[in-house]
Amino acid sequence: MEPKYTIFLVLLLSTTTLQSSSANPNRSGQDRFILSSCQTTRYPSLCVRTLSAYATMIRHNNDQDLAQTALTISLARARSVAIFVAKLTKGTPGFKRREYLAIKDCIEVLGNSVDRLGQSVKELGRAGHAVVSEDFMWKMSNVQTWVSAALTDETTCLDGFSGQAMGGKVKRLIRSKVVHVAQVTSNALALVNHFAEKRSVQIP
C-alpha cells in the first residue's frame, strides 16, 4: 500500500472517542447524512454504527468521503481478521485435517480480499479526481469489481467451515469475525454504488 494511504488508514483507526465527540457545529448534519445514506445498504444499523465513529472525517453530503471511509474501514477489519485467522494455526494446535485445510484456504482468500480492498481504496481516490465521464466510470467499474470480488472471497472463507462435520470451536472462533467483515464490505459496496450513480450524472 502506498505511504499516503497507509497514513490515511492509521489516522482513521487512531481516531479517538474524544475526537469523534468533540464539539462540531456540523456533527448533527453529518449524522443525518450518514443515517440517510446507510438506508441504501443491506445492513443499515451496522453501517450507521460503523461510520458514526468517524463522522468528523466525512464532509457533509460528500458521498465520496462516505464511500472512501467505508472502504478503508472494511480494509482495516479484513486485514485484522486475516491476521487473527493466520494466528490460529500457530496458537491453537490439534486441528483436524479438514479444519486445518479450511483455515489455510481462508487465510488465502482473506489475503486476496485485503489486496482487492486496498486497490479499491486507491482507485476510488483517483476516481474522485476524474473530470471526464468515461474516465470516472472506468475507475468506478474497477472499484465495484474489486469490492465485489473481496466480498466473494470473504464468503468463500465462510463456506469452508460449513457442514456439521466441521468443529464448532473453529466455527465460533472464525465465523463471527468473518461475517462481520463481510457485512461491512457489503455496506461499503452499496455506498460505492450509490456514489457512482450520483456522480455519473454530474460529470459531462
Side-chain angles (χ1 to χ4, degrees), residues 26-177:
N26 294 322
R27 181 60 192 269
S28 61
Q30 290 167 327
D31 288 339
R32 287 194 298 271
F33 171 55
I34 290 172
L35 179 62
S36 174
S37 299
C38 282
Q39 300 314 303
T40 66
T41 69
R42 187 173 183 180
Y43 308 99
S45 296
L46 175 62
C47 176
V48 172
R49 291 197 307 271
T50 302
L51 292 172
S52 291
Y54 305 103
T56 54
M57 303 182 68
I58 301 168
R59 287 169 291 183
H60 183 49
N61 288 338
N62 191 305
D63 293 294
Q64 183 181 358
D65 276 4
L66 198 68
Q68 192 91 32
T69 302
L71 271 182
T72 305
I73 293 171
S74 178
L75 168 61
R77 297 192 180 181
R79 179 179 287 122
S80 177
V81 172
I83 293 171
F84 169 80
V85 175
K87 286 182 178 179
L88 282 180
T89 59
K90 300 177 181 179
T92 312
F95 284 125
K96 298 177 183 177
R97 176 172 174 77
R98 182 179 174 184
E99 292 173 339
Y100 178 80
L101 292 176
I103 292 173
K104 184 178 178 181
D105 289 343
C106 187
I107 292 170
E108 181 179 351
V109 294
L110 286 179
N112 293 338
S113 177
V114 168
D115 290 342
R116 286 164 174 153
L117 289 170
Q119 288 178 304
S120 301
V121 169
K122 291 184 283 187
E123 188 77 340
L124 182 58
R126 290 189 286 262
H129 297 293
V131 295
V132 179
S133 178
E134 288 79 4
D135 186 33
F136 174 77
M137 294 308 298
W138 169 256
K139 288 180 170 59
M140 289 307 301
S141 177
N142 289 337
V143 175
Q144 291 165 320
T145 298
W146 293 334
V147 180
S148 294
L151 183 57
T152 298
D153 289 329
E154 293 156 7
T155 303
T156 299
C157 170
L158 291 173
D159 290 343
F161 297 95
S162 62
Q164 296 181 350
M166 183 61 69
K169 181 179 179 179
V170 175
K171 283 186 178 181
R172 289 193 299 273
L173 284 171
I174 297 176
R175 182 174 175 77
S176 63
K177 292 181 180 294

Side-chain angles (χ1 to χ4, degrees), residues 133 136-137 195-204:
S133 178
F136 174 77
M137 294 308 298
F195 168 61
E197 182 179 353
K198 289 185 66 175
R199 182 68 183 275
S200 64
V201 300
Q202 301 172 353
I203 301 179

Side-chain angles (χ1 to χ4, degrees), residues 8-21:
F8 177 70
L9 181 60
V10 170
L11 288 174
L12 176 63
L13 297 178
S14 63
T15 302
T16 63
T17 302
L18 177 61
Q19 289 173 315
S20 297
S21 61

